[in-house]
Amino acid sequence: MSADRAADWAADWAADPSRLSVRYRITGRDTAEVAEAIRVEQTIEFPVELAAGWIQEEVVGRLERTSGDEIVVSYARGVIAGGLTQLLNVLWGNVSLFEGVRVTGISLPDGGASLRGPRFGTSGVRALFAAPRRALLATALKPMGSSSAELAEVAGILAAAGIDIIKDDHSLSDQPWSPWHERVARCSEAVAEANARTGGRSVYMPSLNVPAPEVAERAHAAKELGAGALMALPGITGFDAMRALADDDSLALPIMSHPSMLGSLVVNRAQGISHGLVLGLLNRMAGADLSVFPNHGGRFGFSEAECAEIRDEAVADRRPLKPTIPSPGGGMTVERVPEILDFYGNDVALLIGGALHRGDLATNAARIREAVEAAAERA
Amino acid sequence: MSADRAADWAADWAADPSRLSVRYRITGRDTAEVAEAIRVEQTIEFPVELAAGWIQEEVVGRLERTSGDEIVVSYARGVIAGGLTQLLNVLWGNVSLFEGVRVTGISLPDGGASLRGPRFGTSGVRALFAAPRRALLATALKPMGSSSAELAEVAGILAAAGIDIIKDDHSLSDQPWSPWHERVARCSEAVAEANARTGGRSVYMPSLNVPAPEVAERAHAAKELGAGALMALPGITGFDAMRALADDDSLALPIMSHPSMLGSLVVNRAQGISHGLVLGLLNRMAGADLSVFPNHGGRFGFSEAECAEIRDEAVADRRPLKPTIPSPGGGMTVERVPEILDFYGNDVALLIGGALHRGDLATNAARIREAVEAAAERA
């Protein structure tokens, strides 16, 4: 489905633009019964007949329509007051404990105007890298066990070769082999030196897989040490912690979302929340400028259709929310670049991992940069 | 399985007590292949043969054993350095994106000594309520839509009738009908007044379903306003945010964990993490003194065996971690009390919801208090 079609279809089922509308697919259960359970469970969680009449009318969720195995329930704006955490709670809180229920559509009240979403969006991120047309390139520093000096050396080589985003592998935290502050300082420095030599604009992006109360403070520390972007792990520290990073005007760095621990929300196809909504829309609502997810055909089991759904939810017109740049990874090689760009278009950040390290790192990185430039020329 | 058997069995499969050992059940996939993928994916995420020899030996996870469809992979302590967030990342980060993999056992290095776990534990919570033997009683203020004055009135009635923990319904956040600070002030006051009249020790427990950067500050605000306990939602703001609350010596309030959004981790039986580990052990590792989960036979689909597993993981001997009090809820009525106490024993906090509101609230609450006292006499 194209981005345009995704937007049309969103408009089609979500009746009342002042309410949060959620579309659920019900599998192996009585649709009417589950609809009734959901609209109560996600709001008053109380015997409906014992609630005041106006609460039954105004507060309890409203079943808007049933179509085959899908239902649409809408919720008043007051129900989701309290920020993104309460929006998530209404979207999936107790229903997450139901079997056979999957969220397949979300329509935000007033188009999501209460959420700022990505600070930079596609064009903002492109401006930072002075890359108006070509696909962006990202890679991860690894393997765990390497020293900060070793990782910084690799970061410098990758920056000099034209990789835009050089991020911590999501496995890197505060291990003895490369403590967090030391790594952030060394890698930021190495990337800055490479940029100074080449005139490039690469950034080092540390991981904020750190204790929850330190997420904001480490983000600021990273900026002071020279990091040019940040990676958040919403499956571990929560979508709202990422949202707070994106909304922080004194930080103002692009944010990449990593899918660690988010998998169980999506991979069980009769339960959870659809791939596109979690890795496209929720990340976007929570301010991710870039969203990492496993590409189809790699070592994870995401299908082409599911990856297309992520791409579409990341970029479909949901003004005032800016788009999020899809960042597919896993099994990415220079040979696959044309095929992958055919699929995602050039508004993408290719996440290249181990493949860069087979043979000469600088050569491999330069080849992939050439490949995306050539593709942008042809487009 | 009894708590003792759970402990024996844990000791049996976890070979090296200095390492994190994780047991995975593999469904519908080649066990050896998945084992190899997991030990790399959760550590270096890099072609093993390209890593230094010592990294292959010391950093990559180690396949400890295969037994039928189960495997045990262990991880060096250095790999999980960085706190609970990195422990979760190693436990379930990228593997969450695999189909057919479920975590069925966790053995913490040195018994979890780096984690403080619950501050109060069963005996500490019992001491707060001067309830050395009987089952504790908890209920939620609802329905959403009620004003703070209405909720406070209900809180006072419940406290006077002997309900120990009067918590916000997890749906209550910062809605216009009852803004968070107003509700916390009014309900704390109403419970304090009831205690002053009756000599009781009931507590009001507000929900910390608030913006992520405000979790700690609202917890302190709640304490200042008179709240005697706190409810955290680790599925929304993360397990580590809850851990930080529990570890905060200047706060020192009992913490209840609510399962909102955690469902998809457990309900798909061939994927995710077992019920007992998520709702028993992870909550306990993250400092929950009480863990809410849906009881079997209620409106959610948890089985008796799954509830027993939660109970066992909450309380099994994992010194130095104190036990977490299981708090089953959903479909709880006064008639079911004997059966439920038979199942969980008296070291439990029964979470009674809508049933209290059918008929006279004070009478219903007093009856359930009498029922748990009578059961403790008989035991």
Side-chain angles (χ1 to χ4, degrees):
Chain A
M1 165 165 66
S2 74
D4 280 352
R5 270 199 52 218
D8 288 351
W9 163 92
D12 174 55
W13 60 266
D16 183 342
S18 75
R19 295 168 69 89
L20 168 69
S21 294
V22 183
R23 209 166 58 139
Y24 305 90
R25 194 178 66 230
I26 313 301
T27 305
R29 300 180 62 182
D30 182 84
T31 307
E33 206 173 276
V34 175
E36 183 60 22
I38 288 176
R39 75 187 195 95
V40 177
E41 191 71 48
Q42 297 306 85
T43 53
I44 64 169
E45 208 190 325
F46 188 82
V48 177
E49 71 282 10
L50 299 183
W54 81 268
I55 291 179
Q56 298 184 31
E57 290 296 315
E58 302 294 327
V59 180
V60 175
R62 189 190 292 164
L63 177 60
E64 298 282 0
R65 66 148 86 172
T66 301
S67 168
D69 60 355
E70 290 201 310
I71 60 171
V72 176
V73 178
S74 76
Y75 304 94
R77 209 177 336 198
V79 170
I80 57 169
L84 181 60
T85 48
Q86 173 60 4
L87 199 159
L88 293 170
N89 195 33
V90 171
L91 180 68
W92 195 234
N94 273 12
V95 180
S96 75
L97 296 155
F98 284 12
E99 294 169 49
V101 177
R102 187 163 175 95
V103 177
T104 57
I106 299 172
S107 173
L108 297 169
D110 304 319
S114 70
L115 294 165
R116 288 175 60 172
R119 175 179 291 270
F120 294 91
T122 309
S123 60
V125 172
R126 286 193 169 290
L128 291 174
F129 294 111
R133 297 182 59 227
R134 66 170 169 84
L136 299 172
L137 294 172
T139 190
L141 296 171
K142 36 189 171 183
M144 190 199 293
S146 309
S147 68
S148 297
E150 289 166 336
L151 295 170
E153 192 192 339
V154 171
I157 294 169
L158 292 165
I163 304 292
D164 303 292
I165 296 170
I166 298 140
K167 72 176 191 71
D168 280 347
D169 191 51
H170 86 287
S171 67
L172 298 183
S173 175
D174 207 5
Q175 286 94 358
W177 309 295
S178 174
W180 192 87
H181 284 93
E182 178 192 275
R183 181 174 69 252
V184 175
R186 300 293 285 270
C187 294
S188 298
E189 199 177 66
V191 170
E193 279 171 15
N195 284 341
R197 272 202 318 280
T198 63
R201 298 204 185 191
S202 298
V203 298
Y204 164 64
M205 175 192 272
S207 167
L208 292 172
N209 181 23
V210 301
E214 295 176 30
V215 170
E217 133 199 0
R218 298 271 191 116
H220 283 275
K223 184 176 180 176
E224 273 161 42
L225 290 168
L230 301 166
M231 184 171 76
L233 288 76
I236 295 184
T237 41
F239 280 98
D240 198 57
M242 181 165 77
R243 191 270 318 150
L245 293 172
D247 283 358
D248 184 343
D249 292 331
S250 67
L251 200 56
L253 292 178
I255 312 282
M256 175 181 269
S257 171
H258 187 280
S260 177
M261 276 195 82
L262 290 176
S264 300
L265 274 176
V266 304
V267 302
N268 308 287
R269 272 72 176 182
Q271 214 268 350
I273 308 178
S274 77
H275 291 70
L277 293 176
V278 173
L279 296 163
L281 184 60
L282 291 189
N283 274 329
R284 187 176 175 191
M285 287 161 57
D289 296 292
L290 303 117
S291 170
V292 172
F293 60 92
N295 194 25
H296 59 93
R299 65 192 187 282
F300 297 95
F302 284 28
S303 71
E304 274 197 32
E306 288 157 351
C307 290
E309 196 189 280
I310 295 168
R311 174 198 67 201
D312 292 346
E313 288 289 353
V315 305
D317 184 1
R318 292 225 190 212
R319 272 168 280 187
L321 293 184
K322 290 179 184 164
T324 294
I325 302 175
S327 188
M332 188 78 59
T333 61
V334 72
E335 290 71 26
R336 285 194 70 190
V337 167
E339 164 222 333
I340 292 167
L341 294 184
D342 259 5
F343 189 82
Y344 292 100
N346 282 317
D347 284 342
V348 72
L350 303 180
L351 180 59
I352 315 115
L356 283 179
H357 299 265
R358 297 190 186 280
D360 183 64
L361 184 66
T363 309
N364 292 337
R367 275 187 62 210
I368 207 151
R369 170 73 183 250
E370 283 157 23
V372 297
E373 283 179 352
E377 293 292 317
R378 282 194 306 271
Chain B
M1 163 165 68
S2 73
D4 281 354
R5 272 199 53 215
D8 287 352
W9 164 89
D12 174 54
W13 61 265
D16 183 341
S18 76
R19 294 168 71 86
L20 168 69
S21 293
V22 183
R23 211 166 57 139
Y24 305 89
R25 194 178 67 228
I26 313 301
T27 304
R29 300 180 62 181
D30 182 83
T31 308
E33 206 172 274
V34 176
E36 183 61 21
I38 288 176
R39 73 188 196 96
V40 177
E41 190 71 47
Q42 297 305 86
T43 53
I44 65 171
E45 208 187 327
F46 189 81
V48 177
E49 70 283 8
L50 298 183
W54 80 269
I55 289 178
Q56 298 184 31
E57 291 294 316
E58 304 292 328
V59 179
V60 175
R62 188 189 293 164
L63 177 60
E64 297 282 358
R65 67 147 86 173
T66 301
S67 168
D69 60 354
E70 289 201 310
I71 60 170
V72 176
V73 178
S74 76
Y75 304 93
R77 209 175 336 198
V79 170
I80 56 168
L84 180 60
T85 48
Q86 172 60 4
L87 198 159
L88 293 171
N89 194 33
V90 171
L91 179 69
W92 194 235
N94 273 11
V95 180
S96 75
L97 296 155
F98 285 12
E99 292 168 53
V101 177
R102 186 162 176 96
V103 177
T104 57
I106 300 172
S107 174
L108 297 168
D110 306 318
S114 70
L115 295 165
R116 287 174 62 173
R119 175 178 291 269
F120 294 92
T122 310
S123 61
V125 172
R126 286 194 170 288
L128 292 173
F129 293 111
R133 300 181 58 227
R134 67 171 169 82
L136 300 172
L137 295 173
T139 191
L141 295 171
K142 38 188 168 181
M144 190 200 293
S146 309
S147 69
S148 297
E150 288 166 336
L151 296 169
E153 191 192 340
V154 170
I157 293 168
L158 292 164
I163 303 293
D164 303 293
I165 297 170
I166 298 141
K167 74 177 191 66
D168 279 348
D169 192 50
H170 87 286
S171 67
L172 298 183
S173 176
D174 207 4
Q175 286 95 357
W177 309 295
S178 173
W180 191 89
H181 284 92
E182 177 192 274
R183 181 172 70 251
V184 176
R186 300 293 285 271
C187 294
S188 298
E189 198 176 67
V191 170
E193 279 170 13
N195 285 341
R197 272 199 321 278
T198 63
R201 298 203 183 192
S202 298
V203 298
Y204 164 63
M205 175 193 271
S207 167
L208 293 171
N209 182 23
V210 301
E214 296 177 30
V215 170
E217 132 199 1
R218 297 274 191 117
H220 283 275
K223 184 177 181 176
E224 274 161 42
L225 291 168
L230 301 166
M231 184 170 78
L233 288 75
I236 295 183
T237 43
F239 280 99
D240 199 56
M242 182 165 76
R243 192 270 319 149
L245 292 173
D247 283 358
D248 184 342
D249 292 332
S250 68
L251 199 55
L253 291 179
I255 313 282
M256 176 181 268
S257 170
H258 188 281
S260 177
M261 276 195 82
L262 290 176
S264 301
L265 274 176
V266 304
V267 302
N268 307 288
R269 273 69 177 185
Q271 215 267 351
I273 307 178
S274 77
H275 292 69
L277 293 175
V278 173
L279 296 163
L281 185 59
L282 292 188
N283 273 329
R284 187 176 174 188
M285 288 162 57
D289 295 292
L290 303 116
S291 170
V292 172
F293 59 92
N295 195 27
H296 59 91
R299 66 189 185 281
F300 297 95
F302 284 28
S303 70
E304 275 197 32
E306 288 157 351
C307 290
E309 196 189 280
I310 294 168
R311 175 198 66 201
D312 292 347
E313 288 289 353
V315 304
D317 185 2
R318 293 225 189 211
R319 273 168 282 193
L321 293 184
K322 290 179 185 165
T324 295
I325 301 176
S327 190
M332 188 77 61
T333 59
V334 69
E335 291 70 28
R336 285 193 69 191
V337 167
E339 164 224 330
I340 292 167
L341 294 183
D342 258 7
F343 188 82
Y344 291 100
N346 282 316
D347 285 342
V348 70
L350 303 181
L351 180 59
I352 315 116
L356 283 180
H357 298 264
R358 297 192 185 278
D360 183 64
L361 183 66
T363 309
N364 292 337
R367 275 186 66 208
I368 208 152
R369 171 73 182 251
E370 281 157 25
V372 297
E373 283 179 353
E377 292 292 316
R378 283 195 306 272

